[in-house]
Amino acid sequence: MVSYSDERFADLQLLRYQLVGFEQLTLRQKRYIYALSKATLYGRDITFDQFGKYNLRIRKMLEAIYTASQIQHDTDDFKALEIYLKRIWFSNGIYHHYGSEKFQPGFSEDYLRKMLQQVPKECLPLSDGETLDAFCADLFPVIFDPSLYPKRVNKADGEDLVKTSACNFYQDVTQEEAENYYQSQKEAYEGDEPPSFGLNSTLIKRDGKVCEDIWCVGGRYSKAIEKIVYWLEQAKEYAENPKQTDIISHLVDYYKTGDLQSFNTYCKEWVSEHDGRVDFVNGFIEVYGDPLGLKGSWEGIVEYKDLEATKRTQTISNNAQWFEDHSPVDSRFRKKEVKGVSANAICAAMLGGDEYPSTAIGINLPNADWIRAEYGSKSVTISNITDAYNKAAHGNGFKEEFVIDDQTLAMIERYGDLCDDLHTDLHECLGHGSGQLLSGTDLDALKAYGNTIEEARADLFGLYYIADPKMVELGLLPDMEAYKSQYYSYMMNGLLTQLIRIQPGHQIEEAHMRNRALIARWCMEHGDTLSLIQREGKTYLEIKDYAVLRQMIATLLAEIQRIKSEGDYEAARQMVERYAVKVDPVIHQEILERYQRLDLAPYKGFINPRMTPVKNEKGEITDIQLDYTEKYAQQMLRYSSEYGTLI
């Protein structure tokens, strides 16, 4: 099921994902999913606040105008306000979810002030005793001044990344102070299981002293975390096995105490549970929203195994040691024994926080390298999400516009979806879990460049092995021609088509985009098998020799793994700054113009299904009903009403 024609605005398009096989789950499993889903939705306000300290007040202010019956809706200004609000909902704040630049409203300060004067004051997020004039004076510069807090995450080389990033992880501290604070914690730590320092806190300066506000029950975000904990406790009653019950107990303990050693315990237990069909991620996880790569954005996803598709991922994970042993990287950087690697294809049942409305297509956790090395990792490919993306992409004219010729286009049409899924499997299932750090290497040695290097490492791993005869031997690809579709699509994206996601005059900021640019540009510079050619005034990618390209990928993988394993910050900086950041303005403009003529949205996200318990005359839950008809604005307003906890 994919529906998106009536849910498009700005550069965004909304899809739906179907919970395939949900009706075949047991009532216990459905109730488990339902309770976990409630815990997932209660984290929404945390993500909004993490992504900018003004986000929640701005969102509630605009929602009050949007829902006010006395406001006239059929004006250009109101329509511009509606688009602005929908973009805020999508991005969990006033910054673009991908490029992290601040949105510019299409309405004026004067219009916004007049609308606020028509809204009852009790509907606005005014502080105690705050006047409307003071409220406007506080928020209007944030909304309308493009020079004030312009980027959520700034990664520009040579700047103070903390001071120049608008994300709400740091208050009144500099990058140097933050790095020194956490470096001192690492140096003071004595033990074999280091915590992820800084993962669940806001770093602030009080009375001239740098300290942390911990995100936990009784601490920062307590009202939201209390609700999450409540529904996690409810979920325990329907867990599929005692191990799942213990895992939730460890997570609850972590939420209650904020103790990062408790989080380590939770991660170790979570990564070792494989018997249940239902699983979840809930917490402060991914660090890409922090310019220093330390602090976890809140995210949640509830999932259950896609049993048929999991046969593919488990084939990969069952051969993990073979892949590690045959990697082209230096033997010093390979794991001698691969432990605990599991891989499943899953159906997403509910998305939340930093995974909603825009979500990943694959996940590999936990993030801590030492846990991966000693206890393993869990990897998932989200099959119902990739299915929705694939169905939305077919026949939209994108490939026909940018692929060099009919022969290559036919190859991509034949093998593309299969290879996309397989590359994601290899990236998540093995790429992130491959390799090892040398003894004594600081886990955060690469600092702001760590995320890009890590994504490049996983992508290169997938690219190298998707072209290996082992893929055909294992029955994962039909022949040795298939991988070429992935090579062409990937390099075309890295060199050309991902530029549609960048505004004119901007550089590449997002870690995954930097990673793709790095790989494609490095390969083009280090040989002549990749080239950009002109045909009838249009630029296309040409690949002369796919086998040679694979050897180049092997060489780059070896170097990226060395940088990661040795913690070579300067090499990482030079690699990223040289290949992954800058944009050719002439090619950029051409790509934007060609894409604009297709009338497509470059970004897509998802509307969650609505889950409702079905009860009998005794009040007992007999089923969980799914509703796919809720509109985007309806869902967002309902979430603000039902799951709003922090304002």
Side-chain angles (χ1 to χ4, degrees):
M1 175 186 295
V2 182
S3 173
Y4 51 87
S5 60
D6 60 343
E7 298 284 342
R8 178 176 170 180
F9 54 90
D11 57 354
L12 304 167
Q13 192 171 40
L14 274 299
L15 309 177
R16 298 184 190 273
Y17 58 97
Q18 187 176 17
L19 274 61
V20 180
F22 184 83
E23 61 277 5
Q24 275 82 53
L25 298 177
T26 67
L27 177 59
R28 184 181 186 90
Q29 289 170 326
K30 291 179 182 179
R31 295 190 71 174
Y32 189 39
I33 288 172
Y34 175 75
L36 291 172
S37 295
K38 298 286 279 188
T40 293
L41 295 174
Y42 267 112
R44 180 174 182 249
D45 275 6
I46 297 176
T47 309
F48 265 89
D49 190 72
Q50 288 179 320
F51 286 3
K53 67 178 181 179
Y54 298 96
N55 284 337
L56 286 172
R57 297 185 85 199
I58 291 173
R59 188 193 79 194
K60 187 166 185 178
M61 171 191 70
L62 295 174
E63 288 173 345
I65 295 173
Y66 187 72
T67 57
S69 59
Q70 63 270 36
I71 299 294
Q72 188 176 353
H73 287 200
D74 59 351
T75 68
D76 290 341
D77 281 325
F78 182 85
K79 292 174 182 176
L81 182 143
E82 180 179 33
I83 291 174
Y84 184 69
L85 175 57
K86 285 183 174 182
R87 299 189 80 180
I88 288 172
W89 283 333
F90 192 95
S91 296
N92 294 295
I94 64 173
Y95 300 92
H96 197 283
H97 74 288
Y98 215 77
S100 81
E101 65 273 4
K102 187 165 69 172
F103 300 131
Q104 292 304 301
F107 52 89
S108 67
E109 293 186 44
D110 183 60
Y111 171 78
L112 184 56
R113 187 182 299 272
K114 288 179 179 177
M115 295 305 100
L116 289 172
Q117 290 170 347
Q118 299 182 46
V119 175
K121 287 187 177 180
E122 60 270 19
C123 297
L124 297 174
L126 300 175
S127 303
D128 290 341
E130 186 179 26
T131 66
L132 183 59
D133 285 343
F135 177 77
C136 293
D138 188 31
L139 294 188
F140 278 26
V142 179
I143 296 172
F144 293 101
D145 183 352
S147 67
L148 186 64
Y149 312 121
K151 291 188 71 67
R152 177 168 64 89
V153 183
N154 179 35
K155 295 184 178 180
D157 188 31
E159 297 186 9
D160 186 315
L161 304 185
V162 168
K163 284 290 189 180
T164 57
S165 295
C167 56
N168 198 20
F169 296 127
Y170 304 93
Q171 293 180 12
D172 302 319
V173 297
T174 65
Q175 178 178 347
E176 183 180 12
E177 287 173 326
E179 290 176 344
N180 289 342
Y181 180 87
Y182 289 115
Q183 185 60 37
S184 67
Q185 287 194 340
K186 293 174 186 176
E187 292 173 354
Y189 176 77
E190 296 179 359
D192 299 324
E193 299 188 348
S196 300
F197 293 109
L199 183 71
N200 65 334
S201 69
T202 304
L203 192 67
I204 65 175
K205 188 182 289 183
R206 282 200 188 99
D207 300 324
K209 183 179 179 181
V210 178
C211 57
E212 291 180 298
D213 271 355
I214 305 299
W215 307 331
C216 63
V217 172
R220 199 164 188 143
Y221 302 138
S222 182
K223 290 183 179 179
I225 294 173
E226 288 168 26
K227 292 289 189 179
I228 295 169
V229 165
Y230 172 83
W231 281 103
L232 288 174
E233 293 283 14
Q234 295 296 305
K236 283 168 61 175
E237 298 182 19
Y238 308 106
E240 299 172 277
N241 55 58
K243 182 79 166 180
Q244 289 179 338
T245 303
D246 289 343
I247 288 167
I248 294 176
S249 294
H250 289 305
L251 179 58
V252 167
D253 182 61
Y254 162 60
Y255 271 136
K256 287 182 176 180
T257 64
D259 181 7
L260 287 170
Q261 292 293 2
S262 295
F263 182 65
N264 282 346
T265 301
Y266 158 72
C267 289
K268 290 186 293 185
E269 293 296 314
W270 175 81
V271 82
S272 65
E273 198 284 308
H274 305 294
D275 295 332
R277 186 172 181 185
V278 179
D279 206 350
F280 69 97
V281 173
N282 186 296
F284 307 108
I285 307 295
E286 295 295 352
V287 297
Y288 290 10
D290 173 12
L292 302 187
L294 298 174
K295 304 197 171 294
S297 302
W298 194 93
E299 67 178 52
I301 180 170
V302 186
E303 64 196 55
Y304 57 95
K305 291 177 186 174
D306 179 337
L307 298 180
E308 183 60 32
T310 289
K311 295 176 183 177
R312 180 188 73 235
T313 56
Q314 289 185 346
T315 297
I316 293 171
S317 61
N318 290 340
N319 287 274
Q321 191 65 57
W322 184 92
F323 287 103
E324 187 76 6
D325 292 344
H326 290 79
S327 172
V329 307
D330 190 298
S331 61
R332 295 177 299 148
F333 310 140
R334 296 186 210 141
K335 287 189 174 80
K336 302 300 182 288
E337 180 183 1
V338 178
K339 300 179 182 179
V341 173
S342 71
N344 295 297
I346 58 100
C347 283
M350 191 61 66
L351 307 171
D354 200 12
E355 289 291 337
Y356 168 83
S358 176
T359 185
I361 58 174
I363 298 171
N364 177 274
L365 291 172
N367 288 326
D369 282 294
W370 69 266
I371 296 180
R372 293 173 186 267
E374 293 298 321
Y375 297 91
S377 62
K378 277 185 182 179
S379 302
V380 298
T381 300
I382 311 176
S383 60
N384 58 340
I385 295 296
T386 57
D387 180 64
Y389 277 133
N390 291 340
K391 288 178 178 176
H394 281 297
N396 66 8
F398 178 84
K399 295 171 187 174
E400 290 80 358
E401 173 61 34
F402 291 104
V403 174
I404 189 169
D405 54 38
D406 290 343
Q407 180 180 355
T408 307
L409 180 62
M411 176 181 67
I412 293 171
E413 286 293 333
R414 180 180 180 183
Y415 298 116
D417 289 352
L418 173 63
C419 286
D420 283 345
D421 287 345
L422 183 56
H423 183 257
T424 300
D425 293 341
L426 291 166
H427 173 112
E428 300 293 349
C429 302
L430 299 179
H432 280 306
S434 66
Q436 64 180 358
L437 301 182
L438 293 185
S439 178
T441 298
D442 186 343
L443 300 176
D444 301 312
L446 303 184
K447 300 181 181 179
Y449 299 105
N451 295 335
T452 298
I453 293 297
E454 175 58 23
E455 291 302 328
R457 195 175 70 90
D459 260 1
L460 286 162
F461 189 98
L463 289 169
Y464 177 74
Y465 277 115
I466 200 171
D468 197 286
K470 190 74 170 179
M471 295 296 103
V472 178
E473 177 188 326
L474 293 174
L476 297 171
L477 288 180
D479 54 54
M480 284 304 297
E481 289 295 304
Y483 81 90
K484 296 177 183 179
S485 70
Q486 186 66 23
Y487 274 26
Y488 192 90
S489 296
Y490 189 96
M491 297 299 168
M492 180 181 73
N493 190 19
L495 291 169
L496 297 174
T497 53
Q498 73 171 3
L499 295 176
I500 65 175
R501 296 184 165 193
I502 301 173
Q503 293 186 15
H506 288 210
Q507 295 186 335
I508 304 174
E509 297 279 354
E510 200 275 335
H512 297 80
M513 291 180 69
R514 284 187 166 189
N515 139 53
R516 292 189 287 268
L518 187 159
I519 292 172
R521 291 172 177 178
W522 187 95
C523 288
M524 189 164 69
E525 182 176 296
H526 286 77
D528 61 0
T529 197
L530 284 185
S531 60
L532 297 179
I533 66 171
Q534 292 287 318
R535 288 186 179 173
E536 299 179 353
K538 294 181 179 181
T539 304
Y540 295 95
L541 168 68
E542 182 179 56
I543 301 180
K544 297 183 179 71
D545 191 319
Y546 286 88
V548 169
L549 180 55
R550 189 191 186 215
Q551 291 307 309
M552 298 171 72
I553 287 168
T555 300
L556 182 56
L557 173 57
E559 173 59 8
I560 291 292
Q561 182 64 63
R562 183 199 67 77
I563 290 171
K564 170 89 173 182
S565 295
E566 295 181 351
D568 190 341
Y569 171 81
E570 185 56 30
R573 188 187 72 81
Q574 292 183 18
M575 183 75 76
V576 173
E577 294 296 334
R578 178 168 181 174
Y579 297 106
V581 178
K582 296 179 177 61
V583 174
D584 182 321
V586 176
I587 290 180
H588 189 195
Q589 185 61 34
E590 177 202 325
I591 298 300
L592 289 175
E593 290 175 357
R594 291 166 65 183
Y595 186 78
Q596 186 176 21
R597 289 193 288 269
L598 296 174
D599 191 30
L600 301 174
Y603 300 100
K604 294 174 176 63
F606 293 89
I607 302 172
N608 281 326
R610 184 170 186 171
M611 295 184 180
T612 304
V614 178
K615 298 181 181 180
N616 61 20
E617 62 277 3
K618 297 180 181 180
E620 300 167 332
I621 295 177
T622 60
D623 200 2
I624 301 297
Q625 183 179 19
L626 301 178
D627 179 7
Y628 295 103
T629 65
E630 191 171 33
K631 297 292 187 179
Y632 175 68
Q634 289 176 319
Q635 183 159 106
M636 291 299 182
L637 290 171
R638 179 171 67 86
Y639 283 2
S640 293
S641 174
E642 293 184 12
Y643 304 104
T645 56
L646 299 182
I647 192 169

